[in-house]
Every structure is written in C-alpha cells, then in structure tokens.
Amino acid sequence: MSVLSLRAVSSAAAATPAPATLTIDLGAIALNYRLLAGAVAPAECAAVVKADAYGLGVARVVPALLAAGARRFYVATLEEALAVKPLLPADAHLAVLGGVVPGAEWQFRAMGLFRCSILWPRPAAGPSRRGTPAAAR
C-alpha cells in the first residue's frame, strides 16, 4: 500500500491548533481507476487531475494512475497542464478542460495538448434554431 499522509493545523486566527491527519491511499486511487476502467471498457477511462489532483499532489497521484494503466488525463488550465505534462509518457493524452486561452495556441501545439472534447453548441446559421444538436469537437 502506497500511502500519503498530510498533516494540517487550524488557521493562525484560532487560539489553539487543531491538528488533523489526512491519509491518502495511492493504491486505492489506482485500484479505483482500474475498477472504473474495467466498468467502462471498451471505452477509455480518463483521470481528471485538475487543481493539483484535487489537492493531493499531481507529482504523487499521476504516477500512481499511470501505473494503473491511465493514459488519458484532464486538467482545468494551461498552467495545470504545464505541471502535469512532464510527468506523462509520450503515449499519454492530456486535455485542458478550460480550452485554449487566446494567444496560447502555440503552447498547446508545442506541448501536444488537446482541448476538452465535450459537446459545445453548434453556431446556428441565421435565425435561432431551438433543439439544434450539439457538435462534438
């Protein structure tokens, strides 16, 4: 079992510290990924590691997910992608949920990043068409 323990104390405004320990079982994260990947097969399962892997630390969580077989990763911003990309092998797919920030297109191309592939409304030609299907991008 690979375990990460974090210790926190209350804010400086509190009269006495309130210590707490959060134990993160990286083996459980990997197992959960494998279980989800098996449940959705033959579709691919992706790992969302935005916000520094939800505060757990991408430097620890991403390698655990890679060891579990993850090859698709999502982050929220280009800045997060810059932190995750060096941790990934060449065959991994990294997408940015927030999309391409104007002026940063060259960074997306240079890093081999993908914008999030979710459904976006298709621009309507002419008058508004209610019920127009969305287009996958």
Side-chain angles (χ1 to χ4, degrees), residues 10 16 39 44 47 49 61 69 75 77-78 83 90 112 114 125-126 131 135-136:
S10 63
T16 58
E44 272 186 88
V49 292
V61 173
V75 293
T77 65
L78 177 59
F114 298 87

Side-chain angles (χ1 to χ4, degrees), residues 33-104:
Y33 175 83
R34 286 191 297 271
L35 290 172
L36 288 170
V40 301
E44 272 186 88
C45 186
V48 178
V49 292
K50 64 184 192 142
D52 196 29
Y54 294 91
L56 303 178
V58 293
R60 293 181 177 100
V61 173
V62 167
L65 290 165
L66 286 167
R71 288 298 177 272
R72 285 198 176 271
F73 293 85
Y74 287 85
V75 293
T77 65
L78 177 59
E79 291 76 20
E80 292 175 359
L82 293 170
V84 172
K85 184 69 173 178
L87 304 172
L88 300 178
D91 67 335
H93 174 99
L94 179 59
V96 179
L97 294 167
V100 181
V101 177

